[in-house]
């Protein structure tokens, strides 16, 4: 089914604006596994996430966090197991179809459209959400609402002054902000953020933290975060899942994780001090 | 009234100066020059040169939609030009009489074949990426040349097909004089092609300035990201390939109308594809107008560099080394090409745009 459109995907999954209850997991995996040759990168992970919460995934390098992320968002196909969105199996859907269903993701490495202007980067995402991305008979200037909304989003991530710059010219921190603006433009129900502060200088981190805090406080989106900065994770997250060698070793509220001996042993190296 | 955002202010200013800017008048002047060529330089050579610049400018622009705007390198682009030329030639030169109806059918058949073939090429882009896709398209283009050469009973082989035009496009047609210039079938064909080329060029400008045009550029910049934000990149790339190829097909038909024949060397050959690539590089990728600069550069070089030999002989009769150098005009062309690429790495138009952007206080997007 190559030409699956947004509407038909939603009908296919019966997800048109369904009112999910907070108690039902919005996203769930069952025995999710991926093998690369003989190496098991993610091993039978059973994961659940509630609506409008912020969950973080932590773990040492090579624990399988990004691989797990990639399976949730469709970049990798699992060797075994299933991914469910609001109870519906989405394991075989493409990344584009999952995006249309309300899953938006940012990448560990900065992932923008470098030759487009900052405003265009966001506008292209709005086009996708609004479904006029394939319109070729009208000028893009005809869609001034999209442009206004793109500018508002840039204001939200404190990037409005750079709206006309070519995005390749932005600093690393600004590019990460732009990525978040692109993501917000999709109005996703679930935001998947893969190390949003990776490679940033210390002075740039608070701005991202503030943006994430604001998104969380609005309580109208679900956030899944992979991050290494422990203080950031402890302060932001509602729940934390810890992966080691592709397996879940702990899953709970920040204080539980903080006190967990297994986590301290495996991830924090036995110490209890926060970074 | 709510306060306007900087974007809204910028757009308003852009609209206000849209028909007052220097670039607008420059474009108008170029169009006027093409319109007045028959009156300003009333020789067949000038008319032929202007027409080839026109056709190749639009052909390169259609190639730019693929390479410059979507990031697809296809060596099969000229094959579609050949399909247009051969369809028209077959319909009015071999299997039908030179009538308007046959001419139109020729174009329709060509567009039909191109649509099907362009879709197949698009599907290939799913299977093979980047340079491998380019190699596959090169193989298809080479296969088309072999078919056109070997199926001589159908295509006329290496000699190709000669045709005469219907009605007012016929070379012998004459309507008398206007402002001292004979209004012949050739001149009418020239203006007909000018109008169609202008229409196609405007269509391409609309295409790249549409929301889809921006998505194409997003795919060129970062295809996985474009997919991650919800685009079926295969569909966008297919539309881009099909659109570019359809434009190329129409141009092939128009070219056949002008030269009056179609053979593998003139409408399908790899050297033409290389010329298109050179024009694209010289003019500037992702600029659309670069096609015009590139086509003008190459066509002028092809037309006038061979004449340099006579020019050098008349100016410096004793300078034998110079004569020998001028005989090898392709060498001079090569040096010229290297210099353009060296001094204008973004192509002529790309470099001019860069220069203008640096001068502007508010950068354009």
């Amino acid at each position: 089914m190559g030409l699956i459109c947004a509407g038909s995907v939603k009908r296919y999954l019966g997800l048109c604006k369904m009112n999910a209850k907070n108690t039902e997991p919005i996203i769930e995996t069952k025995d999710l596994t991926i093998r690369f040759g003989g190496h098991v990168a993610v091993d039978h992970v059973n994961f659940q996430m509630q609506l409008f919460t912020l969950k973080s995934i932590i773990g040492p390098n090579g624990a399988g966090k990004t691989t797990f992320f990639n399976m949730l968002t469709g970049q990798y196909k699992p060797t075994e197991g299933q991914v469910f969105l609001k109870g519906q199996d989405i394991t075989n859907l493409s990344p584009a179809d999952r995006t249309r269903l309300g899953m938006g993701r940012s990448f560990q490495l900065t992932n923008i459209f470098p030759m487009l202007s900052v405003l265009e980067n966001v506008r292209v995402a709005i086009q996708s959400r609004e479904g006029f991305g394939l319109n070729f008979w009208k000028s893009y200037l005809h869609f001034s609402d999209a442009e206004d909304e793109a500018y508002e989003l840039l204001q939200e991530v404190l990037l409005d002054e750079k709206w006309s710059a070519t995005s390749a010219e932005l600093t690393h921190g600004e590019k990460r902000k732009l990525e978040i603006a692109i993501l917000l433009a999709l109005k996703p129900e679930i935001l998947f953020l893969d190390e949003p502060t990776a490679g940033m200088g210390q002075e740039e981190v608070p701005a991202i933290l503030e943006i994430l805090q604001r998104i969380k406080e609005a309580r109208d989106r679900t956030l899944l975060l992979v991050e290494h900065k422990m203080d950031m994770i402890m302060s932001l997250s509602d729940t934390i899942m810890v992966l080691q060698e592709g397996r879940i070793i702990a899953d709970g509220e920040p204080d539980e994780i903080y006190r967990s001996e297994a986590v301290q042993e495996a991830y924090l190296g036995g110490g209890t001090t926060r970074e | 009234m709510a306060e306007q955002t900087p974007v809204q202010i910028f757009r308003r200013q852009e609209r206000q100066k849209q028909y007052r800017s220097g670039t607008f008048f420059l474009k108008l002047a170029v169009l006027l020059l093409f319109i007045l060529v028959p009156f300003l330089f009333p020789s067949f050579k000038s008319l032929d040169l202007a027409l080839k610049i026109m056709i190749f400018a639009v052909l390169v622009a259609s190639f730019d939609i693929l390479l410059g705007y979507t990031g697809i390198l296809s060596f099969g682009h000229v094959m579609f030009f050949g399909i247009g030329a051969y369809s028209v030639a077959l319909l009015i030169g071999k299997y039908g009489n030179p009538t308007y109806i046959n001419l139109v059918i020729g174009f329709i058949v060509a567009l039909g074949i191109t649509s099907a073939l362009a879709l197949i090429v698009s599907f290939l882009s799913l299977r093979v990426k980047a340079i491998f896709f380019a190699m596959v398209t090169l193989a298809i283009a080479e296969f088309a040349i072999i078919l056109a050469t070997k199926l001589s009973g159908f295509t006329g082989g290496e000699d190709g097909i000669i045709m005469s035009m219907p009605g007012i496009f016929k070379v012998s047609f004459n309507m008398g004089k206007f402002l001292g210039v004979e209004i012949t079938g050739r001149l009418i064909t020239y203006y007909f092609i000018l109008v169609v080329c202008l229409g196609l060029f405007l269509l391409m400008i609309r295409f790249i300035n549409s929301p889809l045009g921006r998505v194409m550029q997003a795919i060129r910049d970062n295809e996985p990201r474009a997919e991650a934000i919800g685009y079926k990149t295969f569909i966008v790339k297919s539309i881009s390939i099909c659109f570019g190829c359809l434009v190329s097909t129409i141009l092939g038909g128009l070219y056949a109308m002008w030269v009056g024949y179609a053979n593998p060397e003139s409408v399908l050959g790899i050297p033409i594809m290389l010329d298109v690539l050179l024009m694209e590089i010289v003019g500037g990728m992702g600029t659309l107008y670069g096609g015009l600069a590139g086509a003008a550069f190459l066509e002028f070089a092809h037309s006038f560099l061979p004449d340099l030999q006579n020019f050098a002989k008349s100016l410096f009769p004793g300078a034998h080394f110079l004569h020998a150098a001028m005989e090898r005009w392709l060498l001079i062309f090569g040096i010229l090409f290297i210099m353009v690429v060296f001094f204008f790495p973004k192509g002529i138009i790309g470099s001019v745009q860069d220069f203008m952007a640096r001068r502007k206080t508010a950068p354009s997007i």
Side-chain angles (χ1 to χ4, degrees), chain A residues 25-26 40 47 56 61 80 82-83 101 112 129 133 153 156 165-166 186 190-191 193 200-201 229 260 264:
Chain A
I26 183 164
V40 186
F47 157 94
S56 296
N61 283 334
E80 269 177 55
Q82 290 156 299
V83 181
L101 292 173
I112 53 171
R129 187 198 73 212
L153 285 164
E156 210 171 305
T166 305
L186 297 169
I190 317 175
L191 272 85
L193 302 168
M200 275 183 155
K229 293 188 173 62
S260 162
Q264 284 172 19

Side-chain angles (χ1 to χ4, degrees), chain A residues 10 13-21 24-25 51 85-88 189:
Chain A
K10 284 182 178 170
L13 290 174
L15 290 170
C16 287
K17 296 278 172 198
M18 64 182 273
N19 296 315
K21 289 171 191 155
E24 292 171 1
L51 193 67
L85 180 70
K86 296 176 186 171
Q88 303 293 323
E189 284 182 81

